[in-house]
Amino acid sequence: MNNDLILLGHGSGGRLSHQLLEELIIPQLSSVPVAGQNDAALLNIGGVKLAFSTDSYVVDPIFFPGGNIGDLAINGTVNDLAMMGARPLCLSVGFILEEGFSKEELARILASMREAAETAGVAIVTGDTKVVPKGKGDRIFINTSGIGAVEHNLQIDGASAQVGDKIIVNGCIGDHGIAVLSAREGLEIDSGIRTDSAALNGVVASLLPLGSALHVLRDPTRGGVATTLKEIALQSGVTITLDEKSLPINPGVKGVCSILGLDPLYVANEGKLLAIVAPEQAEEALAVMRRHPLGKDAAVIGEVTGTSSGKVQMETLVGGVRGVEMLAGEQLPRIC
């Protein structure tokens, strides 16, 4: 394998993605240390605190059960802002279209973007469109960037997990990745698996009154829950221990993963968040999540059990303990 070439796995969100960032991109473009690499940048402009984030979407296929590339692009950037505790305000949208792409399909995508933005309470305020020759793109790619208002003085970031903290997820994991996979491969899955793509800013707003007990928020997209928790463990210098029997997994997702040899911990999500909270407030946080429509299946799935150089492990169903590392390679390419 030629180390001088970009591989598909460099876009997985896992180990290769992090290597590309740390060895090439960040040294050239930024000085942000690992501990400061979060879902959005925090800016202070004239005393006004803002969050700023950008993301690009290359999902294949562009239409899948429960959604499409358009609403995915809106929800994804809204969620990145929300993970900093910000109130999303406005978005930009950039399109790269392939010559010959259907205007009817574009109209469907645009309508879904408008609806998703209205649901999230954000405005689309600027954008750009480019067209590349047929065969030089793949139908449509979308970039969205967003700005949000940070209206609190809390420290919510990946470096703030503390020993004793509880880890809560707001629902079943792996739905998005399996929904996209089923559409891509034409799998006949009679289980109603649909993407979980949704704007999570409402869930986050309901958690902010927890105050300083709310330590970390992160949405486990590419690389899944496992990779996201590994990132947090590295940033915070802690050991995270998961409880396998507590993981909420749709039976259909569990079945597909079992058949195809996939681990749900590494399957992408687009409407899930991980909240790491102080133990004394964990039950309250769980109750708050469960009162929200996007958190009715929320569960405590683990805790921060010690300090380390960034270790994640899981207590298994058979009573053992196994290590959990970042996604290696590319499990499901072009998932978002």
Side-chain angles (χ1 to χ4, degrees):
M1 188 178 297
N2 192 330
N3 290 330
D4 293 331
L5 300 179
I6 296 297
L7 307 174
L8 199 57
H10 283 117
S12 68
R15 188 181 304 159
L16 287 178
S17 294
H18 284 78
Q19 288 176 357
L20 184 64
L21 285 169
E22 293 165 11
E23 296 174 6
L24 184 60
I25 295 175
I26 289 177
Q28 293 287 342
L29 299 181
S30 177
S31 58
V32 179
V34 171
Q37 296 170 22
N38 296 297
D39 284 342
L42 292 179
L43 309 173
N44 191 316
I45 301 175
V48 177
K49 293 195 296 182
L50 299 171
F52 176 66
S53 188
T54 189
D55 210 339
S56 298
Y57 298 84
V58 298
V59 65
D60 175 36
I62 58 175
F63 297 97
F64 41 83
N68 63 65
I69 191 173
D71 51 54
L72 180 67
I74 298 298
N75 292 334
T77 294
V78 165
N79 292 345
D80 282 345
L81 296 170
M83 294 309 107
M84 305 307 295
R87 177 170 59 87
L89 299 174
C90 55
L91 302 177
S92 72
V93 176
F95 298 101
I96 297 176
L97 307 176
E98 182 185 17
E99 179 186 19
F101 183 54
S102 163
K103 286 186 178 179
E104 185 274 332
E105 289 186 331
L106 178 58
R108 288 172 58 191
I109 290 167
L110 293 173
S112 74
M113 295 178 78
R114 181 184 65 247
E115 182 178 350
E118 290 173 353
T119 299
V122 297
I124 298 173
V125 296
T126 190
D128 182 55
T129 303
K130 297 290 191 300
V131 178
V132 298
K134 191 171 184 64
K136 301 297 184 180
D138 192 356
R139 305 178 74 188
I140 180 172
F141 299 148
I142 301 176
N143 173 273
T144 49
S145 298
I147 294 174
V150 180
E151 299 166 322
H152 59 78
N153 293 313
L154 306 175
Q155 184 170 336
I156 303 172
D157 58 44
S160 295
Q162 300 176 23
V163 176
D165 284 354
K166 302 295 183 179
I167 301 163
I168 306 173
V169 66
N170 65 306
C172 293
I173 64 173
D175 289 5
H176 174 73
I178 298 304
V180 172
L181 177 65
S182 68
R184 180 187 301 165
E185 303 300 332
L187 301 179
E188 297 294 333
I189 301 174
D190 187 21
S191 59
I193 299 173
R194 296 163 61 86
T195 178
D196 61 347
S197 177
L200 296 169
N201 49 321
V203 180
V204 171
S206 69
L207 290 172
L208 288 177
L210 293 172
S212 59
L214 184 59
H215 296 159
V216 183
L217 292 170
R218 191 69 63 85
D219 57 336
T221 54
R222 292 177 301 163
V225 168
T227 297
T228 300
L229 288 176
K230 183 67 175 182
E231 292 171 348
I232 294 167
L234 288 167
Q235 286 182 272
S236 295
V238 297
T239 294
I240 289 174
T241 302
L242 293 172
D243 178 10
E244 186 174 13
K245 68 178 181 296
S246 299
L247 295 174
I249 305 172
N250 182 315
V253 169
K254 188 177 295 186
V256 173
C257 287
S258 178
I259 292 169
L260 298 180
L262 302 174
D263 186 338
L265 278 176
Y266 293 96
V267 177
N269 310 272
E270 290 292 344
K272 295 298 177 292
L273 65 80
L274 296 167
I276 300 183
V277 301
E280 59 272 14
Q281 299 293 112
E283 287 302 317
E284 181 181 351
L286 185 63
V288 167
M289 276 197 195
R290 287 177 173 171
R291 286 195 292 269
H292 193 281
L294 296 177
K296 58 185 179 63
D297 296 318
V300 177
I301 61 171
E303 65 179 294
V304 180
T305 52
T307 58
S308 70
S309 57
K311 180 180 178 182
V312 181
Q313 60 190 12
M314 183 165 70
E315 296 177 349
T316 67
L317 294 174
V318 296
V321 176
R322 71 172 176 90
V324 176
E325 298 297 333
M326 281 189 184
L327 177 65
E330 179 65 275
Q331 180 171 250
L332 296 173
R334 293 184 62 182
I335 211 71
C336 61

